[in-house]
Amino acid sequence: MSSLYQKLCRRIGYFFADLGLLELALTHRSFGGKNNERLEFLGDSILNYVIAEELFHRFPKAKEGELSRLRASLVKGDTLAELAREFQLGDFLKLGAGELKSGGFRRDSILADAVEGIIGGMYLDAGMDVSRQHILAWYKDRLDATSLKVVTKDAKTRLQEFLQARKHALPQYEVVEILGEPHDQTFHVHCLVELCDKPIEGAGNSRRIAEQNAAAAALKLLEQK
């Protein structure tokens, strides 16, 4: 097993002194017993700090809101899942039988959690300076491509600002249906906007994603009007 983890260490560019931390970072809660949730919590905080610090220095004239949106785009689950796929992290995950059967090694949320777990493990293994060095190396191309000109607000924020600018009530979101097994759910959400004759629906594998998709659909409809 250690040779397998050494292979992953080569991919991420960091060799753990304590391979047990790496193993724990790759262990999903579905596997049972000790899992990566605590390391994920730690890694999330460290990642947010390192990226925030880097953006602070890269964009000295940026406003707080601009920096927040830039950081959000870099630390969001989609970006972390992309990193995980670049490392082919799915090959190393320890999942329970249900998650294995349902393809959990491909699921964005599980991949993203594992990346945060690795960051948390790396911090415990070697400290902040080493963690910062490797996080910035992983993010180099993305950071170099980041620009204030392309920073975008999420759909819910844009919809809210669209309505506020026209002095209309803010949208309301309502979960109308949740389908699937607990480990593989699809949320269906209605976005209620007073300018629309009927609720606008959005779906996703989390409530947050479903609400964003519903907001995007509502905004597209309003802009067409």
PDB file of all heavy atoms in Angstrom, residues 107-135:
ATOM      1  N   ARG A 107     -17.263  11.482  -8.150  1.00  0.00           N
ATOM      2  CA  ARG A 107     -18.141  12.566  -7.690  1.00  0.00           C
ATOM      3  C   ARG A 107     -17.328  13.775  -7.247  1.00  0.00           C
ATOM      4  O   ARG A 107     -16.392  13.674  -6.461  1.00  0.00           O
ATOM      5  CB  ARG A 107     -19.033  12.063  -6.557  1.00  0.00           C
ATOM      6  CG  ARG A 107     -20.125  13.061  -6.161  1.00  0.00           C
ATOM      7  CD  ARG A 107     -21.192  12.424  -5.311  1.00  0.00           C
ATOM      8  NE  ARG A 107     -21.854  11.352  -6.055  1.00  0.00           N
ATOM      9  CZ  ARG A 107     -21.863  10.076  -5.685  1.00  0.00           C
ATOM     10  NH1 ARG A 107     -21.247   9.707  -4.581  1.00  0.00           N
ATOM     11  NH2 ARG A 107     -22.483   9.179  -6.403  1.00  0.00           N
ATOM     12  N   ASP A 108     -17.727  14.938  -7.752  1.00  0.00           N
ATOM     13  CA  ASP A 108     -16.992  16.173  -7.478  1.00  0.00           C
ATOM     14  C   ASP A 108     -16.835  16.427  -5.985  1.00  0.00           C
ATOM     15  O   ASP A 108     -15.746  16.809  -5.524  1.00  0.00           O
ATOM     16  CB  ASP A 108     -17.701  17.366  -8.117  1.00  0.00           C
ATOM     17  CG  ASP A 108     -17.442  17.472  -9.614  1.00  0.00           C
ATOM     18  OD1 ASP A 108     -16.790  16.564 -10.166  1.00  0.00           O
ATOM     19  OD2 ASP A 108     -17.886  18.456 -10.226  1.00  0.00           O
ATOM     20  N   SER A 109     -17.910  16.268  -5.226  1.00  0.00           N
ATOM     21  CA  SER A 109     -17.854  16.608  -3.805  1.00  0.00           C
ATOM     22  C   SER A 109     -16.863  15.721  -3.060  1.00  0.00           C
ATOM     23  O   SER A 109     -16.124  16.196  -2.182  1.00  0.00           O
ATOM     24  CB  SER A 109     -19.246  16.484  -3.180  1.00  0.00           C
ATOM     25  OG  SER A 109     -19.748  15.158  -3.320  1.00  0.00           O
ATOM     26  N   ILE A 110     -16.817  14.441  -3.393  1.00  0.00           N
ATOM     27  CA  ILE A 110     -15.895  13.520  -2.734  1.00  0.00           C
ATOM     28  C   ILE A 110     -14.457  13.828  -3.128  1.00  0.00           C
ATOM     29  O   ILE A 110     -13.544  13.820  -2.289  1.00  0.00           O
ATOM     30  CB  ILE A 110     -16.265  12.062  -3.069  1.00  0.00           C
ATOM     31  CG1 ILE A 110     -17.612  11.702  -2.406  1.00  0.00           C
ATOM     32  CG2 ILE A 110     -15.173  11.093  -2.625  1.00  0.00           C
ATOM     33  CD1 ILE A 110     -18.099  10.302  -2.718  1.00  0.00           C
ATOM     34  N   LEU A 111     -14.236  14.128  -4.393  1.00  0.00           N
ATOM     35  CA  LEU A 111     -12.891  14.482  -4.863  1.00  0.00           C
ATOM     36  C   LEU A 111     -12.417  15.779  -4.210  1.00  0.00           C
ATOM     37  O   LEU A 111     -11.268  15.888  -3.766  1.00  0.00           O
ATOM     38  CB  LEU A 111     -12.893  14.623  -6.380  1.00  0.00           C
ATOM     39  CG  LEU A 111     -13.077  13.328  -7.179  1.00  0.00           C
ATOM     40  CD1 LEU A 111     -13.334  13.642  -8.651  1.00  0.00           C
ATOM     41  CD2 LEU A 111     -11.850  12.422  -7.042  1.00  0.00           C
ATOM     42  N   ALA A 112     -13.303  16.769  -4.135  1.00  0.00           N
ATOM     43  CA  ALA A 112     -12.949  18.053  -3.533  1.00  0.00           C
ATOM     44  C   ALA A 112     -12.601  17.885  -2.057  1.00  0.00           C
ATOM     45  O   ALA A 112     -11.626  18.460  -1.559  1.00  0.00           O
ATOM     46  CB  ALA A 112     -14.099  19.046  -3.696  1.00  0.00           C
ATOM     47  N   ASP A 113     -13.395  17.079  -1.355  1.00  0.00           N
ATOM     48  CA  ASP A 113     -13.126  16.840   0.072  1.00  0.00           C
ATOM     49  C   ASP A 113     -11.760  16.181   0.272  1.00  0.00           C
ATOM     50  O   ASP A 113     -11.048  16.491   1.233  1.00  0.00           O
ATOM     51  CB  ASP A 113     -14.216  15.941   0.668  1.00  0.00           C
ATOM     52  CG  ASP A 113     -15.558  16.641   0.796  1.00  0.00           C
ATOM     53  OD1 ASP A 113     -15.598  17.882   0.629  1.00  0.00           O
ATOM     54  OD2 ASP A 113     -16.566  15.959   1.054  1.00  0.00           O
ATOM     55  N   ALA A 114     -11.404  15.279  -0.627  1.00  0.00           N
ATOM     56  CA  ALA A 114     -10.115  14.594  -0.507  1.00  0.00           C
ATOM     57  C   ALA A 114      -8.953  15.567  -0.694  1.00  0.00           C
ATOM     58  O   ALA A 114      -7.926  15.461  -0.003  1.00  0.00           O
ATOM     59  CB  ALA A 114     -10.025  13.453  -1.518  1.00  0.00           C
ATOM     60  N   VAL A 115      -9.090  16.518  -1.623  1.00  0.00           N
ATOM     61  CA  VAL A 115      -8.035  17.523  -1.808  1.00  0.00           C
ATOM     62  C   VAL A 115      -7.869  18.343  -0.537  1.00  0.00           C
ATOM     63  O   VAL A 115      -6.742  18.575  -0.068  1.00  0.00           O
ATOM     64  CB  VAL A 115      -8.355  18.439  -3.008  1.00  0.00           C
ATOM     65  CG1 VAL A 115      -7.354  19.594  -3.074  1.00  0.00           C
ATOM     66  CG2 VAL A 115      -8.323  17.661  -4.311  1.00  0.00           C
ATOM     67  N   GLU A 116      -8.983  18.783   0.051  1.00  0.00           N
ATOM     68  CA  GLU A 116      -8.905  19.533   1.302  1.00  0.00           C
ATOM     69  C   GLU A 116      -8.306  18.670   2.413  1.00  0.00           C
ATOM     70  O   GLU A 116      -7.555  19.172   3.262  1.00  0.00           O
ATOM     71  CB  GLU A 116     -10.293  20.026   1.693  1.00  0.00           C
ATOM     72  CG  GLU A 116     -10.823  21.122   0.778  1.00  0.00           C
ATOM     73  CD  GLU A 116     -12.204  21.582   1.118  1.00  0.00           C
ATOM     74  OE1 GLU A 116     -12.962  20.815   1.772  1.00  0.00           O
ATOM     75  OE2 GLU A 116     -12.572  22.712   0.733  1.00  0.00           O
ATOM     76  N   GLY A 117      -8.649  17.382   2.406  1.00  0.00           N
ATOM     77  CA  GLY A 117      -8.068  16.468   3.390  1.00  0.00           C
ATOM     78  C   GLY A 117      -6.560  16.364   3.251  1.00  0.00           C
ATOM     79  O   GLY A 117      -5.824  16.352   4.246  1.00  0.00           O
ATOM     80  N   ILE A 118      -6.090  16.291   2.015  1.00  0.00           N
ATOM     81  CA  ILE A 118      -4.646  16.222   1.765  1.00  0.00           C
ATOM     82  C   ILE A 118      -3.956  17.488   2.253  1.00  0.00           C
ATOM     83  O   ILE A 118      -2.881  17.442   2.858  1.00  0.00           O
ATOM     84  CB  ILE A 118      -4.371  15.988   0.271  1.00  0.00           C
ATOM     85  CG1 ILE A 118      -4.767  14.557  -0.110  1.00  0.00           C
ATOM     86  CG2 ILE A 118      -2.897  16.233  -0.065  1.00  0.00           C
ATOM     87  CD1 ILE A 118      -4.665  14.268  -1.587  1.00  0.00           C
ATOM     88  N   ILE A 119      -4.580  18.636   2.015  1.00  0.00           N
ATOM     89  CA  ILE A 119      -4.000  19.904   2.485  1.00  0.00           C
ATOM     90  C   ILE A 119      -3.919  19.911   4.012  1.00  0.00           C
ATOM     91  O   ILE A 119      -2.902  20.303   4.589  1.00  0.00           O
ATOM     92  CB  ILE A 119      -4.826  21.096   1.971  1.00  0.00           C
ATOM     93  CG1 ILE A 119      -4.687  21.222   0.447  1.00  0.00           C
ATOM     94  CG2 ILE A 119      -4.385  22.396   2.650  1.00  0.00           C
ATOM     95  CD1 ILE A 119      -5.629  22.229  -0.179  1.00  0.00           C
ATOM     96  N   GLY A 120      -5.000  19.463   4.660  1.00  0.00           N
ATOM     97  CA  GLY A 120      -4.975  19.384   6.115  1.00  0.00           C
ATOM     98  C   GLY A 120      -3.901  18.433   6.611  1.00  0.00           C
ATOM     99  O   GLY A 120      -3.183  18.728   7.583  1.00  0.00           O
ATOM    100  N   GLY A 121      -3.756  17.289   5.944  1.00  0.00           N
ATOM    101  CA  GLY A 121      -2.722  16.327   6.320  1.00  0.00           C
ATOM    102  C   GLY A 121      -1.326  16.867   6.095  1.00  0.00           C
ATOM    103  O   GLY A 121      -0.412  16.650   6.899  1.00  0.00           O
ATOM    104  N   MET A 122      -1.160  17.580   4.984  1.00  0.00           N
ATOM    105  CA  MET A 122       0.147  18.151   4.667  1.00  0.00           C
ATOM    106  C   MET A 122       0.544  19.195   5.720  1.00  0.00           C
ATOM    107  O   MET A 122       1.714  19.268   6.129  1.00  0.00           O
ATOM    108  CB  MET A 122       0.089  18.783   3.268  1.00  0.00           C
ATOM    109  CG  MET A 122       1.398  19.264   2.717  1.00  0.00           C
ATOM    110  SD  MET A 122       1.335  19.515   0.918  1.00  0.00           S
ATOM    111  CE  MET A 122      -0.091  20.607   0.747  1.00  0.00           C
ATOM    112  N   TYR A 123      -0.428  19.976   6.167  1.00  0.00           N
ATOM    113  CA  TYR A 123      -0.157  20.966   7.206  1.00  0.00           C
ATOM    114  C   TYR A 123       0.306  20.289   8.498  1.00  0.00           C
ATOM    115  O   TYR A 123       1.283  20.716   9.125  1.00  0.00           O
ATOM    116  CB  TYR A 123      -1.414  21.796   7.455  1.00  0.00           C
ATOM    117  CG  TYR A 123      -1.325  22.683   8.676  1.00  0.00           C
ATOM    118  CD1 TYR A 123      -0.618  23.881   8.644  1.00  0.00           C
ATOM    119  CD2 TYR A 123      -1.927  22.302   9.870  1.00  0.00           C
ATOM    120  CE1 TYR A 123      -0.518  24.686   9.772  1.00  0.00           C
ATOM    121  CE2 TYR A 123      -1.836  23.098  10.998  1.00  0.00           C
ATOM    122  CZ  TYR A 123      -1.137  24.288  10.941  1.00  0.00           C
ATOM    123  OH  TYR A 123      -1.033  25.074  12.066  1.00  0.00           O
ATOM    124  N   LEU A 124      -0.376  19.225   8.907  1.00  0.00           N
ATOM    125  CA  LEU A 124       0.012  18.511  10.125  1.00  0.00           C
ATOM    126  C   LEU A 124       1.373  17.830   9.955  1.00  0.00           C
ATOM    127  O   LEU A 124       2.127  17.696  10.915  1.00  0.00           O
ATOM    128  CB  LEU A 124      -1.054  17.472  10.486  1.00  0.00           C
ATOM    129  CG  LEU A 124      -2.425  18.018  10.903  1.00  0.00           C
ATOM    130  CD1 LEU A 124      -3.381  16.867  11.178  1.00  0.00           C
ATOM    131  CD2 LEU A 124      -2.311  18.917  12.128  1.00  0.00           C
ATOM    132  N   ASP A 125       1.672  17.417   8.747  1.00  0.00           N
ATOM    133  CA  ASP A 125       2.911  16.689   8.470  1.00  0.00           C
ATOM    134  C   ASP A 125       4.116  17.617   8.391  1.00  0.00           C
ATOM    135  O   ASP A 125       5.219  17.243   8.796  1.00  0.00           O
ATOM    136  CB  ASP A 125       2.759  15.926   7.151  1.00  0.00           C
ATOM    137  CG  ASP A 125       3.747  14.781   7.003  1.00  0.00           C
ATOM    138  OD1 ASP A 125       3.798  13.926   7.913  1.00  0.00           O
ATOM    139  OD2 ASP A 125       4.457  14.734   5.985  1.00  0.00           O
ATOM    140  N   ALA A 126       3.923  18.829   7.868  1.00  0.00           N
ATOM    141  CA  ALA A 126       5.090  19.677   7.576  1.00  0.00           C
ATOM    142  C   ALA A 126       4.924  21.151   7.920  1.00  0.00           C
ATOM    143  O   ALA A 126       5.887  21.916   7.807  1.00  0.00           O
ATOM    144  CB  ALA A 126       5.464  19.552   6.101  1.00  0.00           C
ATOM    145  N   GLY A 127       3.731  21.587   8.299  1.00  0.00           N
ATOM    146  CA  GLY A 127       3.555  22.980   8.683  1.00  0.00           C
ATOM    147  C   GLY A 127       3.048  23.878   7.571  1.00  0.00           C
ATOM    148  O   GLY A 127       2.876  23.463   6.425  1.00  0.00           O
ATOM    149  N   MET A 128       2.840  25.158   7.938  1.00  0.00           N
ATOM    150  CA  MET A 128       2.216  26.108   7.026  1.00  0.00           C
ATOM    151  C   MET A 128       3.082  26.483   5.827  1.00  0.00           C
ATOM    152  O   MET A 128       2.599  26.578   4.701  1.00  0.00           O
ATOM    153  CB  MET A 128       1.807  27.377   7.788  1.00  0.00           C
ATOM    154  CG  MET A 128       1.173  28.447   6.916  1.00  0.00           C
ATOM    155  SD  MET A 128      -0.317  27.859   6.044  1.00  0.00           S
ATOM    156  CE  MET A 128      -1.542  28.103   7.329  1.00  0.00           C
ATOM    157  N   ASP A 129       4.369  26.710   6.056  1.00  0.00           N
ATOM    158  CA  ASP A 129       5.217  27.164   4.950  1.00  0.00           C
ATOM    159  C   ASP A 129       5.258  26.140   3.811  1.00  0.00           C
ATOM    160  O   ASP A 129       5.148  26.508   2.628  1.00  0.00           O
ATOM    161  CB  ASP A 129       6.642  27.437   5.442  1.00  0.00           C
ATOM    162  CG  ASP A 129       6.721  28.683   6.309  1.00  0.00           C
ATOM    163  OD1 ASP A 129       5.771  29.493   6.275  1.00  0.00           O
ATOM    164  OD2 ASP A 129       7.729  28.846   7.030  1.00  0.00           O
ATOM    165  N   VAL A 130       5.404  24.873   4.159  1.00  0.00           N
ATOM    166  CA  VAL A 130       5.418  23.824   3.135  1.00  0.00           C
ATOM    167  C   VAL A 130       4.057  23.711   2.476  1.00  0.00           C
ATOM    168  O   VAL A 130       3.945  23.554   1.246  1.00  0.00           O
ATOM    169  CB  VAL A 130       5.844  22.476   3.758  1.00  0.00           C
ATOM    170  CG1 VAL A 130       5.653  21.336   2.760  1.00  0.00           C
ATOM    171  CG2 VAL A 130       7.298  22.538   4.205  1.00  0.00           C
ATOM    172  N   SER A 131       2.992  23.799   3.262  1.00  0.00           N
ATOM    173  CA  SER A 131       1.641  23.719   2.706  1.00  0.00           C
ATOM    174  C   SER A 131       1.397  24.852   1.721  1.00  0.00           C
ATOM    175  O   SER A 131       0.879  24.635   0.619  1.00  0.00           O
ATOM    176  CB  SER A 131       0.601  23.779   3.836  1.00  0.00           C
ATOM    177  OG  SER A 131       0.761  22.709   4.735  1.00  0.00           O
ATOM    178  N   ARG A 132       1.783  26.057   2.108  1.00  0.00           N
ATOM    179  CA  ARG A 132       1.612  27.216   1.222  1.00  0.00           C
ATOM    180  C   ARG A 132       2.371  26.997  -0.090  1.00  0.00           C
ATOM    181  O   ARG A 132       1.838  27.245  -1.178  1.00  0.00           O
ATOM    182  CB  ARG A 132       2.105  28.483   1.911  1.00  0.00           C
ATOM    183  CG  ARG A 132       1.961  29.742   1.032  1.00  0.00           C
ATOM    184  CD  ARG A 132       2.654  30.946   1.644  1.00  0.00           C
ATOM    185  NE  ARG A 132       1.980  31.418   2.839  1.00  0.00           N
ATOM    186  CZ  ARG A 132       2.448  31.258   4.068  1.00  0.00           C
ATOM    187  NH1 ARG A 132       3.615  30.613   4.260  1.00  0.00           N
ATOM    188  NH2 ARG A 132       1.789  31.724   5.100  1.00  0.00           N
ATOM    189  N   GLN A 133       3.599  26.547   0.021  1.00  0.00           N
ATOM    190  CA  GLN A 133       4.437  26.323  -1.167  1.00  0.00           C
ATOM    191  C   GLN A 133       3.757  25.379  -2.151  1.00  0.00           C
ATOM    192  O   GLN A 133       3.732  25.642  -3.367  1.00  0.00           O
ATOM    193  CB  GLN A 133       5.776  25.743  -0.724  1.00  0.00           C
ATOM    194  CG  GLN A 133       6.685  25.322  -1.870  1.00  0.00           C
ATOM    195  CD  GLN A 133       7.900  24.543  -1.373  1.00  0.00           C
ATOM    196  OE1 GLN A 133       8.272  24.623  -0.197  1.00  0.00           O
ATOM    197  NE2 GLN A 133       8.513  23.766  -2.267  1.00  0.00           N
ATOM    198  N   HIS A 134       3.198  24.285  -1.668  1.00  0.00           N
ATOM    199  CA  HIS A 134       2.608  23.301  -2.565  1.00  0.00           C
ATOM    200  C   HIS A 134       1.235  23.721  -3.079  1.00  0.00           C
ATOM    201  O   HIS A 134       0.904  23.476  -4.244  1.00  0.00           O
ATOM    202  CB  HIS A 134       2.544  21.945  -1.869  1.00  0.00           C
ATOM    203  CG  HIS A 134       3.886  21.288  -1.757  1.00  0.00           C
ATOM    204  ND1 HIS A 134       4.766  21.559  -0.736  1.00  0.00           N
ATOM    205  CD2 HIS A 134       4.525  20.406  -2.580  1.00  0.00           C
ATOM    206  CE1 HIS A 134       5.878  20.866  -0.911  1.00  0.00           C
ATOM    207  NE2 HIS A 134       5.757  20.156  -2.015  1.00  0.00           N
ATOM    208  N   ILE A 135       0.449  24.375  -2.240  1.00  0.00           N
ATOM    209  CA  ILE A 135      -0.843  24.879  -2.708  1.00  0.00           C
ATOM    210  C   ILE A 135      -0.638  25.871  -3.845  1.00  0.00           C
ATOM    211  O   ILE A 135      -1.319  25.807  -4.878  1.00  0.00           O
ATOM    212  CB  ILE A 135      -1.618  25.545  -1.551  1.00  0.00           C
ATOM    213  CG1 ILE A 135      -2.073  24.484  -0.544  1.00  0.00           C
ATOM    214  CG2 ILE A 135      -2.826  26.319  -2.074  1.00  0.00           C
ATOM    215  CD1 ILE A 135      -2.604  25.065   0.756  1.00  0.00           C
TER     216      ILE A 135
END
